[in-house]
Amino acid sequence: DIQMTQSPSTLSASVGDRVTITCRASQTINRWLAWYQQKPGKAPKLLMYAASTLQSGVPSRFSGSGFGTEFSLTISSLQPDDFATYYCQQYNDHAGSTFGQGTKLEIK
Amino acid sequence: EVQLLESGGNLVQPGGSLRLSCAASGFTFSSYVMTWVRQAPGMGLEWVSTILSSGDSTHYADSVKGRFTISRDNSKNMLFLQMNNLRDEDTAVYYCAKDQYSGTIGDAFDIWGQGTVVTVSS
């Protein structure tokens, strides 16, 4: 099974900050990585797919990069609505997807 | 509007069974791979099971293999998860999710339901 490791687990930041979350795969997944945002009591929302392609309707302050085993999600200027938990997901393994453990983005 | 609506969650005793349903609307259900994902209280997301668009191929996480069965009825735009021999650690919110693209295997999940709560406790 492909393991996904996110860091940090928790991130404290202020409105206007630039923040980056990283995700590492235990083996190469090419560019088959997605990022999701989840708010308390809500379903996850797809932000990014194929490592760096922004899902329709997602603000351009979100960007993604990476290939192979190392990936990152960057928010260029944090807005109040961005404080949430973020998950990476590999979908290279067609027999089973896996998620990272999540990064909780908190207000400093 | 593309929508997924889960139902069937409940309180069940260890060893019991439950069948979850997911009603799909707003898209050609029969063309898409569908997946169940769960989230235990205060924890992260865990992939549970995936079924291909025709229903003839399924995949399961090791944690549920042999106990859970995913199925679909394309004529009724419905996805199911039959859960048997439930354990305390199966307690979670269960989401159904749709693959982003039709006709492919292995995609991000672009549409999620609101989730249904399964509690396994005596």
Side-chain angles (χ1 to χ4, degrees), chain B residues 20 33-37 47-52 55 57-60 64 67-73 79-83 96-97:
Chain B
L20 305 184
V33 173
M34 296 294 295
T35 293
W36 288 98
V37 175
W47 170 80
V48 173
S49 182
T50 290
I51 186 167
L52 298 196
S57 182
T58 58
H59 303 284
Y60 298 93
V64 307
R67 301 187 299 122
F68 289 13
T69 302
I70 190 172
S71 62
R72 64 192 296 162
D73 184 340
L79 176 72
F80 304 102
L81 186 67
Q82 177 66 43
M83 305 187 294
C96 61

Side-chain angles (χ1 to χ4, degrees), chain A residues 16-80:
Chain A
D17 284 354
R18 178 185 179 91
V19 298
T20 297
I21 301 168
T22 63
C23 185
R24 176 176 295 169
S26 60
Q27 61 190 76
T28 183
I29 57 170
N30 299 299
R31 61 188 176 101
W32 306 125
L33 183 104
W35 290 97
Y36 298 87
Q37 178 192 67
Q38 188 181 33
K39 296 184 178 179
K42 300 294 187 182
K45 171 188 172 183
L46 178 64
L47 296 177
M48 198 83 57
Y49 60 95
S52 60
T53 303
L54 204 61
Q55 173 70 343
S56 176
V58 175
S60 59
R61 62 181 179 271
F62 291 89
S63 63
S65 64
F67 186 88
T69 62
E70 300 282 341
F71 301 87
S72 64
L73 174 72
T74 297
I75 310 173
S76 60
S77 178
L78 275 173
Q79 299 302 302

Side-chain angles (χ1 to χ4, degrees), chain B residues 1-107:
Chain B
E1 180 190 4
V2 178
Q3 197 168 5
L4 298 171
L5 186 63
E6 303 95 335
S7 60
N10 211 333
L11 171 63
V12 60
Q13 292 188 339
S17 297
L18 211 53
R19 189 194 196 204
L20 305 184
S21 299
C22 171
S25 60
F27 65 101
T28 306
F29 178 74
S30 60
S31 296
Y32 289 85
V33 173
M34 296 294 295
T35 293
W36 288 98
V37 175
R38 69 183 180 183
Q39 186 169 35
M43 303 296 285
L45 301 170
E46 179 187 15
W47 170 80
V48 173
S49 182
T50 290
I51 186 167
L52 298 196
S53 56
S54 61
D56 60 358
S57 182
T58 58
H59 303 284
Y60 298 93
D62 288 344
S63 57
V64 307
K65 201 170 294 183
R67 301 187 299 122
F68 289 13
T69 302
I70 190 172
S71 62
R72 64 192 296 162
D73 184 340
N74 286 343
S75 68
K76 296 181 179 178
N77 294 344
M78 294 292 295
L79 176 72
F80 304 102
L81 186 67
Q82 177 66 43
M83 305 187 294
N84 297 331
N85 191 18
L86 283 160
R87 306 167 179 168
D88 290 352
E89 55 265 33
D90 295 320
T91 294
V93 177
Y94 285 74
Y95 297 101
C96 61
K98 165 190 165 291
D99 259 26
Q100 189 173 16
Y101 297 110
S102 65
T104 60
I105 300 172
D107 283 326

